[in-house]
Amino acid sequence: MKDLISGAEALMRSLEYQGVETIFGYPGGSIMPVFDALYDHRDTLNHILVRHEQGAAHAAQGFARSSGEVGVCLVTSGPGATNTITGIADAMIDSTPIVVIAGQVGTAFLGTDAFQEVDLVGITQPITKWSYQIRRAEDVPWAVARAFYIAKSGRPGPVVLDFAKNAQVEKAGYVPTKLDYIRSYVPVPDTDPEAVRIAAELINNAERPLVLVGQGVELGNAQQELRNFIEKAGIPVGCTLLGLSALPTDHPLNKGMLGMHGNLGPNINTNKCDVLIAVGMRFDDRVTGNLATYAKQAKVIHFDIDPAEVNKNVHADIAVLGDCKETLVAVTELLQANTHTEWLESFTDYERMEEEKVIRPELHPMSDTLTMGEVVCAVSEATHNEAILVTDVGQNQMMSARYFKYSKERSIITSGGLGTMGFGLPAAIGATFGRPDRTVCVFMGDGGLQMNIQELGTIMEQKAPVKIIVLNNNFLGNVRQWQAMFFNRKYSFTPMMNPDYMKIASAYDIPSRRVMAREELSEAIAEMIKTEGPYLLEACVIEEGNVLPMTPPGGSVNQMLLEC
């Protein structure tokens, strides 16, 4: 007869069996039996005590995005669980594999409005791949195995386990369980050989092909397959925000970032190419601009693992379904070697124009005041372009994405689809645990930092080596830019009165420095990089700087503004 153990102990053993080593969480009443069991597994399960449950979810995201593994967070019921909702929604839209385990009142109290009861399954079903309530201790191994399989397989995403308190304390036999199949769940669709053949034929006959690279390439670990594909056919590439590090910045076929604040060349040439090849991207509205004018001249080939994304926003002439690590290889085998020299040269004029009108003024400003772009560029160079970039949301995000350089895979962690302010700090904490061998730099604005500033306490306790760069312009900068451009400069509640970040850093025992003058910047960055553990660098930047180029809301991708 099997030894009987509690559901809480079964959870610990199940997590260990799934290979989990790091958990981000916050204890409370309805999850207390689990934390009691966790105490005896401290040698194998490293629990990181965050300062807010939203921080736990974002830290789990940062861990997952940096490591390629499933991020795990553990919280209590009621407000503890609902505080993770933003992170869960963020993970869903950005395809991040996390498992959120939340306490719940006992089954006898369900539906009675018991203390800290909330219908977590009902709340999270629309924003998860799977949401399940564990009501019996005997179901724990099965539920955990299913949760991890669903979170990581196919198009990744979040899973929620709502763990009733009675199931935590009841006893049952334990059988280690892993899953690699669920009936009716097809994580990777079959690839149609005819679609592969037609896609290759379209590419071989193209005169002006353009590849759009999304995060799917990184999620599928298909970076080398992508390089083989584009290099054989000589096709220029534009990357989405989340796909920026799928291809090194200095690769000769990498023409820059797509989207509202992307580079001129790939955006304008989207409406000039004759074959548009989307790989692991979902044609987000910030990439496409006005769909009525988007790439109407082009045949569209869409590589994706999720059939729901095909024809959702942009009609695909050919859909190559499947894992891009395999489908890219299949198409590459049928491609003819090509160079597309004239087409590649067409990007040059746009690059020169952007360099003259946007990049040079940003990186070599006439003003005495620092710009965001020059700070980002200087930090990137100081890390030899090898750091992991984490961003918050806003101007800091767009400037970081544009001026940071990427030489390694999985080097950008940012909130893309949901645009979550407050994401940056906890996500950076998670990244330091996901990839302790790499430098993690997080850029944030003065607004985003204050949304989850309590996580400085987590950094203090864990001595997490997060390099925090605050681009302080005393504004909610992105909203202010829109107010300047589209609302007659009426700065309605966007100026920020900020605290003294040096005093705050000192209170958390985090070394810090404020930089206001250009001549101090290099020395301050060098000090930050060589300092072991965390560091906060506040860069006081121009207050009314703007992120350019910019496709105005509702505009076409080939109508980018170079000045305000």
Side-chain angles (χ1 to χ4, degrees):
M1 182 177 179
K2 300 185 184 73
D3 291 336
L4 299 182
I5 61 173
S6 70
E9 175 64 22
L11 175 63
M12 296 300 101
R13 297 188 190 184
S14 296
L15 292 175
E16 291 170 344
Y17 193 66
Q18 295 296 328
V20 174
E21 296 179 354
T22 305
I23 301 171
F24 304 91
Y26 203 93
S30 290
I31 199 68
M32 203 172 296
V34 170
F35 272 88
D36 185 62
L38 179 58
Y39 188 84
D40 296 325
H41 289 258
R42 289 169 295 164
D43 292 339
T44 52
L45 293 172
N46 183 24
H47 178 268
I48 311 303
L49 178 65
V50 296
R51 298 309 191 257
H52 190 283
E53 291 89 355
Q54 183 182 352
H58 292 325
Q61 288 179 271
F63 178 92
R65 295 266 286 275
S66 62
S67 68
E69 301 300 325
V70 177
V72 180
C73 63
L74 183 63
V75 299
T76 194
S77 64
T82 57
N83 281 343
T84 68
I85 298 301
T86 297
I88 293 168
D90 195 292
M92 186 66 178
I93 199 166
D94 281 352
S95 304
T96 305
I98 65 171
V99 172
V100 176
I101 303 165
Q104 180 58 278
V105 301
T107 54
F109 296 96
L110 290 172
T112 68
D113 291 332
F115 178 66
Q116 293 192 334
E117 179 195 0
V118 70
D119 181 5
L120 186 61
V121 172
I123 291 171
T124 58
Q125 276 184 333
I127 53 171
T128 55
K129 288 186 72 178
W130 186 52
S131 188
Y132 180 75
Q133 188 172 79
I134 303 174
R135 297 187 175 193
R136 305 184 304 172
E138 63 194 71
D139 294 335
V140 171
W142 169 86
V144 172
R146 188 179 176 101
F148 276 77
Y149 175 59
I150 291 174
K152 194 172 182 182
S153 59
R155 180 179 180 176
V159 169
V160 166
L161 293 178
D162 191 38
F163 200 0
K165 194 167 185 179
N166 63 284
Q168 298 173 37
V169 298
E170 290 170 359
K171 296 187 181 298
Y174 172 74
V175 178
T177 305
K178 280 195 178 179
L179 292 180
D180 58 8
Y181 170 78
I182 298 174
R183 188 176 64 180
S184 79
Y185 171 56
V186 183
V188 182
D190 293 334
T191 302
D192 181 0
E194 183 65 7
V196 170
R197 185 193 68 78
I198 295 172
E201 183 179 340
L202 278 173
I203 295 168
N204 285 333
N205 292 328
E207 295 181 0
R208 300 180 307 281
L210 178 62
V211 175
L212 311 184
V213 170
Q215 188 192 198
V217 172
E218 297 260 62
L219 296 174
N221 297 310
Q223 297 91 345
Q224 186 58 53
E225 288 76 11
L226 171 71
R227 291 181 68 156
N228 296 342
F229 173 73
I230 63 172
E231 288 170 2
K232 183 175 183 180
I235 308 176
V237 171
C239 297
T240 68
L241 175 64
L242 271 62
L244 280 171
S245 62
L247 191 66
T249 304
D250 62 0
H251 192 286
L253 293 173
N254 189 344
K255 299 304 175 183
M257 186 168 75
L258 299 161
M260 177 176 281
H261 290 294
N263 296 103
L264 277 180
N267 277 293
I268 291 177
N269 276 345
T270 293
N271 277 10
K272 293 186 177 181
C273 67
D274 58 358
V275 175
L276 190 67
I277 307 151
V279 185
M281 56 88 71
R282 58 188 180 83
F283 290 109
D284 177 77
D285 60 288
R286 287 296 174 99
V287 166
T288 64
N290 186 352
L291 283 170
T293 59
Y294 183 78
K296 294 302 179 183
Q297 79 295 336
K299 294 287 187 181
V300 176
I301 302 170
H302 195 168
F303 289 77
D304 213 290
I305 200 168
D306 185 357
E309 290 298 342
V310 176
N311 298 322
K312 186 176 79 173
N313 295 323
V314 172
H315 171 74
D317 295 278
I318 291 295
V320 184
L321 295 176
D323 186 337
C324 63
K325 193 172 181 67
E326 298 174 359
T327 56
L328 283 171
V329 172
V331 173
T332 302
E333 289 176 351
L334 302 179
L335 293 182
Q336 300 166 2
N338 210 328
T339 56
H340 296 292
T341 303
E342 186 176 342
W343 171 234
L344 284 166
E345 288 176 351
S346 73
F347 287 80
T348 304
D349 287 342
Y350 300 124
E351 289 166 355
R352 287 180 185 144
M353 189 184 308
E354 187 173 349
E355 175 70 28
E356 177 186 349
K357 298 283 189 181
V358 177
I359 297 174
R360 192 178 302 142
E362 183 68 29
L363 299 186
H364 305 284
M366 301 297 292
S367 167
D368 291 336
T369 309
L370 289 167
T371 68
M372 289 189 182
E374 68 175 313
V375 176
V376 172
C377 187
V379 173
S380 184
E381 290 176 355
T383 63
H384 309 291
N385 303 326
E386 294 182 345
I388 292 177
L389 167 69
V390 184
T391 86
D392 208 81
V393 168
Q395 286 186 319
N396 65 89
Q397 177 185 36
M398 293 296 99
M399 285 295 195
S400 301
R402 282 182 55 83
Y403 293 104
F404 212 79
K405 306 297 184 222
Y406 313 94
S407 62
K408 293 186 175 183
E409 302 165 357
R410 292 186 175 271
S411 289
I412 181 168
I413 300 172
T414 189
S415 174
L418 199 63
T420 304
M421 287 182 68
F423 172 89
L425 194 60
I429 295 170
T432 65
F433 286 95
R435 288 301 303 268
D437 57 318
R438 296 185 64 185
T439 300
V440 175
C441 297
V442 57
F443 288 85
M444 56 189 65
D446 40 305
L449 171 58
Q450 293 184 76
M451 284 202 168
N452 269 317
I453 197 169
Q454 76 284 338
E455 297 309 326
L456 291 174
T458 307
I459 292 174
M460 173 184 65
E461 181 173 350
Q462 300 296 329
K463 297 181 173 55
V466 181
K467 308 305 182 186
I468 306 163
I469 303 96
V470 183
L471 302 173
N472 188 353
N473 59 6
N474 297 305
F475 269 104
L476 296 175
N478 210 45
V479 182
R480 183 214 54 78
Q481 179 171 337
W482 283 48
Q483 289 173 335
M485 297 176 71
F486 311 117
F487 292 89
N488 299 315
R489 305 182 73 85
K490 292 167 63 178
Y491 294 159
S492 178
F493 300 100
T494 48
M496 293 282 287
M497 178 179 289
N498 287 307
D500 186 333
Y501 293 118
M502 300 299 96
K503 290 181 179 178
I504 291 175
S506 176
Y508 284 104
D509 199 25
I510 296 174
S512 64
R513 182 167 174 175
R514 177 182 292 119
V515 174
M516 303 185 70
R518 185 164 292 113
E519 54 269 21
E520 301 173 22
L521 183 61
S522 295
E523 180 189 340
I525 292 172
E527 178 181 304
M528 175 181 72
I529 299 300
K530 74 179 182 182
T531 299
E532 290 189 14
Y535 192 99
L536 189 150
L537 174 64
E538 179 186 4
C540 300
V541 298
I542 186 169
E543 289 196 345
E544 296 191 45
N546 294 314
V547 187
L548 296 167
M550 180 179 182
T551 301
S556 298
V557 290
N558 59 342
Q559 297 175 333
M560 301 194 79
L561 303 175
L562 293 177
E563 54 188 12
C564 294

